[in-house]
Amino acid sequence: MTWTLKLVNRQPMKEKLGLLVQHALKSGVAAGHLRPTEIPLSIALETPRIAAHGDYSTNVAMTMAATQKRAPREVARIIIDHIDDSGHLLSKTEVAGPGFINFFITQEKWYEVLKTIHDEYEAYGACQIGLGKRVQIEFVSANPTGPLHVGHGRCAAVGDTLAAILEAAGYQVEKEYYVNDSGRQIHTLGRSVFLRCRQILGDAIEFPADFYQGDYIEDLARLLVDREGAHLPDMDEEEAVGICARFAAEEILSGIRKDLEAFGVSFDRWFSEQALYDSEAVRSVIQDLKSRDIIYEHEGALWFRTQDFGDEKDRVVVRANGQTTYFASDIAYHKDKFERKFDRIIDIWGADHHGYIPRVSASIQAMGYDEKQCRIILVQLVNLLRGGSPVAMSTRAGEFVTLRQVVDEVGRDAARFLFLLRHYDSPLDFDLELAKKESNENPVYYVQYVHARISNIIKKAEERGYKHMCWHDDFTDLIKLPEEIQLIKLMARYPEVVAQSALLMEPHRIPFYLKELAAAFHAYYHDRNKHMVVSDDAGLSAARLFLVSAIRIIISTGLTLMGVSAPETM
RNA sequence: GCGCCCAUAGCUCAGUGGAUAGAGCGCCGGACUACGAAUCCGUAGGUCGGGUGUUCGAAUCACCCUGGGCGCACCA
């Protein structure tokens, strides 16, 4: 009994209200006051911009007006009349404008939010909309032919945070990195390293322009020469190149792992492309599709009929020279993903790969899977700036700023926060100087500062003997300034933000919310005449400590979702 | 040429088909003898690129145009 009651109390405000409206609709139909047309499954509730329009409002009466064959305001009136608010959630309900229903929540109910935050602590904001469904999310998946650059960093931040958000929303999430450890580019890597080895050992040979150019190739060559000795050039060339390739790919991949680790990103599984060849998975899926005439032969190559599934042209799977393309292993890879029975598959790619989508989607359909289960998120590119002017980068010449360099220079927190601050759909200007600034131009510290400030207040309070952080019923008389209620209302929105981020798969909503909460706190904090938290008034101090420490909980859990630290001092 | 993404304040960007479109930065002017000034308060700033349509209602949806980014390989 008490358990159920507690559970209901813990429901986010919006959910409680949604249920109330839904029951009203049902009882309106039961009473014959509403036509038994379909009742919306979820009630669209929004927080109006203008406070006079209530804490929440719904347009349900307007959307139902046509099928109800009544004026929207009339429908709204009927709904209101059937609301059974036995829990005294509402202080006022009104019909407004063209047919909105505006809800005003009883002030007492807001205090429950405060209690819930303390009860649930870091679990506050989590929900079960995911119903335990299994989601696989694959991201970064950069080729082990060079270090990660800033663009990969953005994908890493988006993927890792999205995974955390989905987990908080009740999904079972598996994070995966697909390692392209096979094929031509690995071979080229091997040849590049091999050539550098020979150069180091004294061969005066030219280094072709289509080989990997970066200094790291030379570093790897030096390392390999030290380890293997000087006999490398005397071996059979293909064998030597193979040794170089394996060595370089392993070294680079382990560097990538370390860089990601330093960036706070971890994976549940590293999936090897080569394994798909070793297990014959690629061969067998090609065979299968060939027998169904989805793959056909033309001019010595094998082609996939992607055009039949909406692509603009058919695509090559096996080239005339017998080499498979990336597409071939990607078909097998996605087949493998579907065979692992995830309810949902998410691929996060750099936006420059968007031309690849119709191809992959075609292959999923051709294999008989539902392509809607696989969602491909394209993360737009990053423009790296320093003090407002672009940083020259050329991947081909091997001159680019790596993720590691950025993290070393600006710090992991700033990098992650700024990567997540934009919708992934919009290109990101990342300014290294701005990222380092400890000022109001940099939103990272703005949010973290809230955590540090509140931590400091709590420390001060403890020094003065305020020990126990728990709810007292007289807090309702002590926390009643409009700006305090406003803060609580803002905190009540956090679970909605998490749920929305999960549903729309949009991590940027978290930092935007945190900025808003931070701004509200800073403003509150600053008026020391009115809002001094720790004072000689023991009751008031306890109440305000309860209030601000709830803010700290949300700041901390929000930052944790983003992989950003919540420091107690700065 | 074709395809995908984008266009909102001077700049960088939010915005769930709803009511009067928001924030940060920058500009200008203010605020520390009390819990951290990495902060706060105030002023100004808009044809939501343009057009047509759908809708009771459009920054949001559809179509066209303009402008920008990216991609159009038997590359990855």
Side-chain angles (χ1 to χ4, degrees):
Chain A
M1 183 65 188
T2 33
W3 184 80
T4 326
L5 223 110
K6 197 161 190 183
L7 204 70
V8 169
N9 279 340
R10 280 178 175 202
Q11 239 169 6
M13 198 64 84
K14 200 172 175 177
E15 250 172 72
K16 291 186 204 175
L17 193 53
L19 286 174
L20 223 57
V21 176
Q22 215 143 23
H23 284 132
L25 290 172
K26 279 182 197 154
S27 83
V29 170
H33 297 146
L34 289 172
R35 286 163 187 267
T37 49
E38 69 270 36
I39 289 170
L41 281 175
S42 68
I43 306 298
L45 283 165
E46 58 166 28
T47 29
R49 269 196 310 274
I50 299 154
H53 292 160
D55 295 310
Y56 293 93
S57 79
T58 181
N59 62 357
V60 70
M62 286 182 279
T63 58
M64 287 174 65
T67 53
Q68 288 296 324
K69 303 206 163 79
R70 281 173 185 270
R73 291 185 62 102
E74 228 177 293
V75 178
R77 191 72 255 165
I78 294 169
I79 294 169
I80 291 176
D81 288 344
H82 283 91
I83 287 177
D84 170 26
D85 184 25
S86 49
H88 304 291
L89 188 66
L90 300 166
S91 63
K92 189 169 83 172
T93 311
E94 63 182 20
V95 181
F100 291 104
I101 304 174
N102 294 340
F103 300 99
F104 295 79
I105 306 293
T106 316
Q107 185 156 318
E108 282 66 44
K109 291 292 165 186
W110 292 114
Y111 298 114
E112 284 177 17
V113 173
L114 221 43
K115 281 186 267 186
T116 303
I117 296 168
H118 280 272
D119 283 351
E120 300 188 342
Y121 219 80
E122 74 276 353
Y124 178 68
C127 62
Q128 283 305 321
I129 54 173
L131 302 168
K133 285 188 180 153
R134 292 178 64 231
V135 177
Q136 191 230 28
I137 174 164
E138 180 220 324
F139 57 104
V140 187
S141 299
N143 291 346
T145 54
L148 298 177
H149 54 70
V150 270
H152 295 129
R154 186 179 188 189
C155 288
V158 168
D160 193 52
T161 300
L162 183 54
I165 290 168
L166 290 172
E167 229 157 70
Y171 292 91
Q172 214 177 311
V173 184
E174 223 169 276
K175 296 185 280 184
E176 188 157 306
Y177 187 117
Y178 180 58
V179 186
N180 289 115
D181 53 0
S182 158
R184 208 175 70 93
Q185 83 289 345
I186 293 291
H187 190 69
T188 305
L189 175 69
R191 295 205 299 169
S192 305
V193 172
F194 180 59
L195 221 57
R196 288 294 187 208
C197 285
R198 286 176 59 184
Q199 284 180 337
I200 290 162
L201 294 165
D203 268 358
I205 31 174
E206 218 173 294
F207 198 79
D210 58 342
F211 278 26
Y212 289 100
Q213 302 290 324
D215 291 341
Y216 64 93
I217 297 292
E218 227 174 305
D219 298 341
L220 286 168
R222 221 177 298 278
L223 211 62
L224 188 58
V225 169
D226 286 349
R227 198 173 297 185
E228 291 287 312
H231 68 280
L232 218 52
D234 307 325
M235 299 168 62
D236 170 68
E237 178 155 335
E238 273 314 297
E239 197 187 329
V241 166
I243 289 172
C244 289
R246 270 192 302 279
F247 171 76
E250 266 171 40
E251 280 298 313
I252 292 171
L253 190 62
S254 104
I256 287 174
R257 282 175 192 258
K258 281 180 196 150
D259 290 353
L260 286 169
E261 202 176 309
F263 196 46
V265 176
S266 64
F267 289 89
D268 299 303
R269 182 164 177 185
W270 297 71
F271 193 102
S272 157
E273 180 191 16
Q274 185 60 47
L276 290 169
Y277 285 100
D278 295 344
S279 69
E280 303 272 297
V282 178
R283 208 181 55 86
S284 91
V285 73
I286 290 173
Q287 207 65 31
D288 178 44
L289 292 167
K290 212 169 149 191
S291 74
R292 291 162 52 201
D293 196 37
I294 288 165
I295 286 176
Y296 62 96
E297 205 168 330
H298 176 67
E299 291 178 350
L302 289 181
W303 298 71
F304 197 116
R305 293 192 193 279
T306 47
Q307 208 174 356
D308 292 359
F309 301 92
D311 200 358
E312 51 188 26
K313 54 174 285 198
D314 289 348
R315 306 289 174 176
V316 169
V317 175
V318 182
R319 298 200 272 163
N321 65 8
Q323 280 183 340
T324 49
T325 62
Y326 259 19
F327 184 37
S329 44
D330 274 335
I331 296 167
Y333 182 39
H334 280 87
K335 181 167 190 270
D336 189 273
K337 289 189 186 194
F338 274 95
E339 280 173 351
R340 282 188 265 162
K341 303 265 185 244
F342 293 107
D343 296 296
R344 181 140 221 192
I345 292 163
I346 302 170
D347 288 4
I348 297 184
W349 298 348
D352 51 336
H353 288 72
H354 72 255
Y356 211 73
I357 294 178
R359 207 171 310 188
V360 169
S361 164
S363 71
I364 291 170
Q365 291 174 61
M367 290 185 289
Y369 298 114
D370 179 7
E371 88 277 8
K372 285 193 291 292
Q373 272 181 28
C374 179
R375 162 79 182 268
I376 296 168
I377 289 176
L378 295 175
V379 179
Q380 291 293 325
L381 306 180
V382 179
N383 299 313
L384 198 63
L385 307 173
R386 186 179 287 284
S389 45
V391 176
M393 280 201 285
S394 157
T395 312
R396 201 179 41 200
E399 292 166 3
F400 53 88
V401 179
T402 63
L403 172 63
R404 166 66 71 161
Q405 288 169 321
V406 171
V407 172
D408 285 349
E409 184 173 341
V410 311
R412 169 181 149 178
D413 288 344
R416 285 193 73 135
F417 198 98
L418 294 174
F419 280 143
L420 293 167
L421 195 54
R422 295 273 172 276
H423 191 301
Y424 53 71
D425 237 12
S426 114
L428 167 70
D429 287 337
F430 188 99
D431 195 309
L432 289 162
E433 295 306 323
L434 181 75
K436 280 191 290 186
K437 270 192 189 164
E438 295 180 349
S439 76
N440 49 2
E441 289 166 83
N442 192 338
V444 187
Y445 304 111
Y446 187 80
V447 173
Q448 287 185 320
Y449 193 40
V450 172
H451 195 269
R453 269 185 157 170
I454 297 174
S455 298
N456 200 47
I457 292 171
I458 291 169
K459 205 181 101 200
K460 287 273 155 62
E462 282 168 354
E463 284 166 8
R464 289 182 59 169
Y466 295 108
K467 290 259 188 308
H468 305 291
M469 189 78 73
C470 59
W471 173 262
H472 293 286
D473 286 336
D474 63 346
F475 286 180
T476 56
D477 295 322
L478 297 166
I479 304 172
K480 57 202 292 193
L481 291 169
E483 53 271 35
E484 290 170 332
I485 303 302
Q486 214 50 47
L487 274 169
I488 301 174
K489 288 181 181 179
L490 193 48
M491 289 190 265
R493 259 181 48 207
Y494 180 66
E496 297 167 23
V497 172
V498 175
Q500 192 76 357
S501 306
L503 284 172
L504 300 174
M505 300 197 236
E506 292 177 347
H508 73 279
R509 291 169 182 277
I510 304 293
F512 270 93
Y513 170 82
L514 292 179
K515 273 170 64 179
E516 199 180 338
L517 181 62
F521 169 75
H522 281 312
Y524 175 79
Y525 171 89
H526 210 270
D527 196 339
R528 291 182 264 213
N529 291 317
K530 272 173 84 181
H531 309 135
M532 196 69 187
V533 176
V534 184
S535 65
D536 294 331
D537 184 336
L540 187 63
S541 298
R544 286 183 172 169
L545 280 166
F546 198 77
L547 176 75
V548 299
S549 79
I551 296 172
R552 186 174 70 151
I553 291 166
I554 295 176
I555 294 284
S556 165
T557 52
L559 287 174
T560 302
L561 281 182
M562 297 172 66
V564 175
S565 72
E568 296 198 358
T569 58
M570 289 172 70

